[in-house]
Amino acid sequence: MMPDLGKYAVEVLSAYAVTIALMLALLLLSLRQSAKTRSALREVEAARQAKATAKGKADG
């Protein structure tokens, strides 16, 4: 069920392929950056919680 793309079929299909490849690359990079950011946030939150716990013990 391929539409008739005429004499520009190669160019059109190449454009689609490049677009799909770039979108997949952006998706993968975004997911990787999201995982790194989530991990860094967990570390910051854990350090903050440890600091608050240590301060609570020192005050108590």
Side-chain angles (χ1 to χ4, degrees):
M1 304 265 343
M2 179 77 150
D4 182 25
L5 300 175
K7 65 180 183 176
Y8 298 106
V10 173
E11 289 82 0
V12 171
L13 294 176
S14 297
Y16 277 118
V18 168
T19 300
I20 290 170
L22 289 173
M23 289 179 72
L24 285 173
L26 284 172
L27 174 66
L28 293 174
L29 289 171
S30 294
L31 290 173
R32 191 172 91 184
Q33 183 64 37
S34 174
K36 285 182 180 180
T37 303
R38 193 175 303 122
S39 175
L41 180 59
R42 282 191 194 116
E43 289 177 17
V44 169
E45 288 178 341
R48 184 176 179 201
Q49 183 66 32
K51 184 178 177 182
T53 302
K55 183 179 179 187
K57 288 182 181 178
D59 290 341

